[in-house]
Amino acid sequence: MKIVVIDGQGGRLGSSLVAALKKKNLDYPIYAIGTNSIATAAMLKSGADFGATGENPVRVACSDAEKEDVIMGPIGIVSADSLLGEITPGMAVAIGRSKGTKILIPTNCCKNIVVGIKDASLSELVNEAVEEVVSLRSSNQ
């Protein structure tokens, strides 16, 4: 199992996910894929094992993902032109078509509003997403 964390802008959400995943000592490689170099650097600083930046790394990481792998990030990564235009249509399609399990953080920004979610802080959402990875790990063993 590998974990692919995709983020853009400043990489705050992605770096929070990487740090929380590392604390769980899951022993899975974490790939930090930033839509820009600042986001990639932030995730690498938080402990990601590998990092790359741009559309092609998103496409490659998602096409290589198997069904037991996990792709994580803000919900905007599956919507073309979100994250202030950083998510290209090609990225959104690659993520959506990937065999990997997507764990998406419901952030209400960039003209994407998710209704029906509880009001939670970013750290609460990150913790919930990481617990979902732990749960997937348990069900795959």
Side-chain angles (χ1 to χ4, degrees):
M1 180 171 159
K2 71 177 176 186
I3 301 169
V4 177
V5 180
I6 301 171
D7 199 11
Q9 298 178 338
R12 181 173 165 234
L13 175 58
S15 63
S16 296
L17 283 169
V18 170
L21 287 162
K22 283 296 190 177
K23 284 182 183 175
K24 291 292 184 179
N25 295 315
L26 298 173
D27 199 33
Y28 298 129
I30 299 175
Y31 292 76
I33 311 296
T35 59
N36 63 64
S37 60
I38 294 170
T40 304
M43 292 186 282
L44 285 168
K45 186 175 180 181
S46 291
D49 301 298
F50 307 98
T53 302
E55 180 172 353
N56 200 56
V58 169
R59 289 175 180 249
V60 171
C62 292
S63 68
D64 286 350
E66 301 295 332
K67 71 178 188 174
E68 66 273 4
D69 296 333
V70 174
I71 299 169
M72 303 179 80
I75 196 166
I77 64 174
V78 295
S79 180
D81 300 327
S82 66
L83 276 67
L84 300 176
E86 292 186 25
I87 300 297
T88 67
M91 289 176 177
V93 169
I95 295 163
R97 286 184 178 163
S98 177
K99 293 178 187 172
T101 299
K102 289 91 171 162
I103 298 177
L104 305 172
I105 309 295
T107 53
N108 289 330
C109 70
C110 306
K111 298 188 179 185
N112 290 311
I113 298 173
V114 181
V115 298
I117 61 168
K118 63 182 181 203
D119 188 24
S121 69
L122 180 61
S123 62
E124 290 171 320
L125 293 169
V126 166
N127 289 335
E128 192 174 326
V130 169
E131 288 306 316
E132 189 63 33
V133 172
V134 171
S135 172
L136 287 172
R137 175 184 165 199
S138 299
S139 67
N140 286 337
Q141 293 181 346

